[in-house]
């Protein structure tokens, strides 16, 4: 059975049992009003459904199932083992106040073991864990009884505590016990006591393949304060891991999901190594999915994760002397998923990946040159201090510097890590002091023309969104008394007509002499009011929002420290002087007020 068939079987199994099949949400999370979203990407199937699990009725009903794209950067260092990927698909079924433990467990078991409708896995290779209980919450004997009624013997049911079998999304959230299913990937384990099971889990001989959560309690300040009025079921099963079990393999990379990629990498590298080749395959797949979901490489937030994935995979590719075409791999990835994820974009993936690769290879070359130069000294040893300085003055990240030093076979000091950390700490303290000083004297020193450019920057941002679309996001901005510079996400060069429309719109708003008003509010209020800005944890709790135009004339609303003009009337005439690429997927405009 291929992974495509497994996905289909899962969805139709639950469709037959009254579930509406919902499409996968984007990997990129969306901020929902009134809800602070602190992850950059969807990391589980339940994540796009949080508001429904909290009680909001779902338009498709109270039984749902999906296969959700997930990205987990917390697992990045585990990639290369048998079971952890950064990108994976999570199969899941949900009950929103409808069925509960009985049906949930029964269906999980049936889907895993039924030959006709499910996966036909061997029940003799299945083990389950249930919640051991804590404080006032009893151990989950109900789940034990249901498992036993299905034929899972008592000695294959293990109790685990809240680290593994208690689910919650934070201090104030629904919570509840879970039961997890494990599969013997070796086929040789048989009966085990709990210690034997834990050891097998440690060795990855048994692998967690499914997790059923029973959301039954309300938690406040980290403790359970009562039961939920609506009890939900939330399940998650990794498609890739289940495929390992179904196809009788020992790891994810031997399944139909990865075997083609791994084979290609193997045939096209002269220094093949399993772990590095797995990193190449996994990270490249994540990158393709991220790019297709609209992420561009950059130095902040999501873009930075993408950049790191691309850089890591290129380093791994160099380590195994990969001489194939990354583009072939991208094509293979897209071909194998396009039937399910129709937004996968070959052109964009190739182009953005290639640009980023070229850029990174240049950075490596510079790093190589620099390290070669300084390592010519006799008895040279690479210290944490040297790498720290290279990072601060050339922007050469420490992992890349170490990678280059390995390529150049340089000697590394034995206390490297300690030295590096202590230099980092010193530097941070110094730059903090610098920032404070700048802040004291800083903004007050802004000249009148610079203040005008601040306001013009907001107007340009809004005009670009109106002319090009709401995908336009500020990526950077810089103001001197001579000009403003503005970097923003957009895939292609602006046409002359687009530039003209942007200019005209800004000039129209200057002419309307709109009032500029500053209001202080909380980040949540700012977000709800539709203000632009980065809703990360960078901002203090209370922020200033600058609004250009009043009532039904509001043109722009943005979180900003200021300062700004009081009204737009006397700013001059706005002209775009230059429009060029800044980095992959990011354009740069330089503009003046004449
Ligand atoms: P583990 O402890 O093995 O890392 P987990 O407890 O983090 O797994 P859950 O959060 O319960 O996993 O996610 C539900 C399911 O998603 C798991 O049963 C597994 O099948 C799958 N899964 C989780 N993390 C990954 C990953 N990094 N790569 C592939 N599949 C995963
Ligand atoms: Mg788990």
């Amino acid at each position: 059975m291929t992974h495509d068939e497994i996905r289909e079987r899962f969805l139709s199994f639950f469709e037959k049992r009254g579930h509406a099949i919902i499409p996968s949400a984007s990997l990129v999370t969306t901020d929902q009003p009134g809800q602070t979203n602190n992850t950059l990407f969807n990391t589980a199937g339940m994540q796009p459904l949080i508001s429904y699990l909290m009680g909001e009725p779902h338009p498709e009903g109270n039984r749902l199932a999906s296969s959700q794209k997930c990205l987990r950067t917390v697992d990045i260092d585990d990639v290369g083992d048998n079971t952890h990927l950064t990108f994976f698909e999570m199969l899941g079924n949900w009950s929103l106040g409808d069925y509960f433990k009985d049906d949930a467990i029964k269906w999980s078991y049936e889907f895993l073991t039924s030959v006709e409708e499910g996966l036909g896995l061997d029940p003799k290779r299945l083990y389950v864990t249930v919640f051991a209980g804590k404080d006032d919450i009893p151990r989950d004997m109900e789940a034990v009884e249901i498992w036993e009624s299905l034929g899972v013997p008592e000695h294959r049911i293990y109790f685990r505590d809240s680290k593994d079998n208690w689910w919650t999304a934070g201090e104030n959230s629904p919570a509840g016990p879970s039961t997890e299913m494990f599969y013997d990937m070796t086929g040789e384990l048989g009966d085990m006591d709990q210690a034997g099971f834990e050891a097998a889990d440690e060795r990855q001989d048994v692998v967690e393949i499914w997790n059923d959560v029973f959301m039954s309690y309300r938690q406040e300040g980290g403790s359970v304060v009562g039961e939920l009025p609506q009890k939900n079921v939330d399940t998650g099963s990794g498609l890739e891991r289940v495929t390992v079990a179904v196809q009788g393999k020992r790891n994810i990379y031997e399944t139909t999901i990865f075997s083609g990629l791994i084979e290609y990498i193997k045939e096209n590298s002269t220094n093949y190594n399993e772990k590095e080749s797995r990193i190449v395959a996994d990270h490249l797949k994540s990158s393709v999915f991220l790019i297709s979901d609209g992420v561009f490489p950059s130095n902040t937030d999501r873009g930075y994760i993408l950049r790191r994935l691309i850089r890591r995979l290129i380093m791994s590719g160099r380590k195994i002397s990969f001489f194939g075409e990354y583009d072939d791999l991208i094509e293979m990835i897209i071909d194998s998923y396009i039937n399910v994820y129709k937004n996968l974009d070959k052109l964009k993936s190739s182009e953005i990946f290639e640009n980023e690769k070229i850029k990174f290879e240049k950075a490596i070359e510079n790093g190589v040159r620099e390290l070669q130069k300084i390592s010519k000294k006799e008895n040279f040893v690479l210290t944490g201090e040297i790498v720290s300085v290279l990072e601060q003055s050339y922007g050469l990240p420490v992992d890349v510097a170490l990678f280059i030093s390995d390529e150049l076979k340089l000697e590394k000091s034995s206390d490297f890590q300690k030295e590096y950390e202590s230099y980092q700490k010193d530097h941070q303290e110094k730059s903090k002091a610098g920032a404070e000083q700048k802040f004291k004297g800083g903004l007050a020193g802004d000249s009148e023309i610079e203040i005008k450019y601040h306001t013009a920057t907001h107007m340009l941002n809004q005009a670009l969104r109106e002319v090009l679309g709401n995908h336009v996001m500020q990526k950077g901005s810089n103001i001197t008394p001579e000009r403003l510079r503005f970097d923003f996400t957009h895939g292609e060069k602006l046409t002359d007509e687009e530039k003209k429309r942007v200019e005209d719109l800004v000039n129209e708003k200057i002419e309307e002499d709109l009032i500029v008003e500053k209001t202080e509010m909380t980040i949540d209020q700012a977000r709800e009011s539709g203000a632009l800005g980065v809703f990360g944890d960078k901002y203090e709790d209370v922020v200033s929002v600058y609004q250009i135009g009043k009532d039904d004339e509001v043109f722009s609303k943005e979180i900003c420290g200021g300062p700004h003009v009081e009204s737009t009337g006397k700013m001059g005439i706005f002209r775009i002087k230059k429009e060029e690429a800044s980095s992959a997927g990011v354009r740069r405009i330089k503009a003046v007020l004449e």
Side-chain angles (χ1 to χ4, degrees), residues 85-112:
L85 300 161
T86 52
F87 171 89
F88 64 99
E89 288 177 84
M90 199 184 286
L91 306 168
N93 59 286
W94 291 272
S95 157
L96 305 175
D98 189 5
Y99 62 85
F100 203 52
K101 258 180 229 186
D102 235 342
D103 283 326
I105 294 180
K106 192 179 78 198
W107 288 335
S108 291
Y109 184 78
E110 202 181 334
F111 179 70
L112 289 176

Side-chain angles (χ1 to χ4, degrees), residues 174-327:
S178 71
T179 179
E180 298 190 325
M181 287 144 265
F182 290 75
Y183 199 67
D184 168 10
M185 297 294 185
T186 70
E188 289 165 0
L189 294 173
D191 289 342
M192 293 181 282
D193 61 10
Q194 179 132 9
F197 170 77
E198 301 293 351
D201 187 19
E202 196 62 35
R203 296 192 304 274
Q204 298 195 328
D205 282 351
V206 290
V207 173
E208 181 198 328
I209 52 173
W210 204 340
N211 187 353
D212 291 356
V213 177
F214 309 111
M215 290 183 193
S216 2
Y217 299 100
R218 227 159 25 91
Q219 211 171 250
E220 272 168 31
S223 8
V224 170
V225 292
E227 298 208 1
L228 285 174
Q230 169 188 312
K231 291 187 177 151
N232 303 313
V233 172
D234 156 35
T235 87
S237 172
L239 174 65
E240 292 77 2
R241 290 196 192 174
V242 165
T243 306
V244 176
V246 172
Q247 297 182 353
K249 305 293 186 194
R250 281 296 276 129
N251 67 67
I252 280 170
Y253 301 92
E254 291 173 358
T255 66
T256 47
I257 303 175
F258 276 101
S259 54
L261 296 175
I262 297 293
E263 216 167 285
Y264 180 95
I265 297 169
K266 200 170 192 169
E267 278 168 12
N268 291 282
S269 52
T270 50
N271 195 17
Y272 180 78
N273 153 316
E274 204 131 80
K275 172 152 187 177
E276 303 302 337
S277 114
R278 291 174 173 187
I279 291 174
V280 171
D282 168 79
H283 288 13
L284 189 61
K285 188 194 280 188
S286 295
S287 303
V288 166
F289 274 89
L290 284 174
I291 292 169
S292 299
D293 276 347
V295 180
F296 292 107
S298 73
N299 281 334
T300 51
D301 301 339
R302 298 183 179 101
Y304 183 63
I305 304 279
L306 173 58
R307 172 160 285 168
R308 240 168 82 72
L309 285 165
I310 294 178
R311 293 186 161 192
R312 281 172 57 104
L313 85 89
I314 289 170
M315 289 193 275
S316 290
R318 279 171 78 117
K319 284 185 197 157
I320 56 174
S321 308
F322 175 69
F323 59 83
E325 295 290 338
Y326 283 107
D327 217 38

Side-chain angles (χ1 to χ4, degrees), residues 329-465:
L329 291 169
I330 292 176
E331 193 159 345
M332 289 162 83
I333 291 166
I334 292 191
D335 283 351
S336 72
Y337 282 99
I338 191 74
N339 285 335
V340 185
Y341 299 110
K342 304 218 174 344
N343 73 331
L344 286 172
D345 189 330
K346 171 73 186 28
L347 266 179
K348 205 163 122 191
S349 302
S350 294
E351 194 182 297
I352 290 177
F353 176 80
E354 190 57 28
N355 282 342
E356 187 65 16
K357 175 167 167 281
I358 291 171
K359 240 202 247 140
F360 184 46
E361 281 170 345
K362 260 195 209 132
I364 293 181
E365 260 170 53
N366 290 340
V368 166
R369 221 173 302 126
E370 199 54 39
L371 274 172
Q372 266 171 340
K373 205 164 75 194
I374 56 180
S375 64
K376 279 217 183 86
K377 277 193 225 129
E378 220 176 307
N379 301 327
F380 175 82
V381 178
L382 187 72
T383 63
E385 178 186 359
I386 296 174
V387 169
S388 209
V389 169
L390 284 176
E391 190 165 31
Q392 280 142 34
S393 22
Y394 297 92
L396 188 70
V398 57
D399 55 334
V400 183
L402 287 177
F403 163 78
I404 295 171
S405 113
D406 280 349
E407 277 197 350
L408 296 175
K409 300 197 167 54
L410 301 179
E411 195 189 327
K412 208 174 78 183
S413 86
S414 53
D415 264 346
F416 180 86
Q417 198 56 29
K418 244 185 164 162
E419 294 162 4
Y420 175 74
E421 277 161 22
S422 101
Y423 261 85
Q424 288 300 96
K425 213 165 134 239
D426 276 4
H427 176 73
Q428 270 164 14
E429 271 157 21
K430 274 191 208 124
S431 57
K432 227 203 252 151
E436 273 154 22
Q437 265 155 20
K438 222 192 254 165
F439 186 72
K440 271 187 218 135
L443 294 178
D446 276 2
S447 64
E448 208 178 322
I449 179 70
E450 284 170 285
I451 294 173
K452 286 180 184 165
Y453 277 128
H454 274 295
T455 309
T457 301
H458 286 209
M459 297 172 83
L460 170 61
N461 189 4
Q462 183 57 31
L464 286 166
R465 289 168 67 87

Side-chain angles (χ1 to χ4, degrees), residues 31-49:
D31 291 321
Q32 291 163 15
Q35 181 189 307
T36 22
N37 217 330
N38 37 28
T39 62
L40 298 173
F41 303 107
N42 281 312
T43 58
M46 55 80 65
Q47 221 168 324
L49 298 173

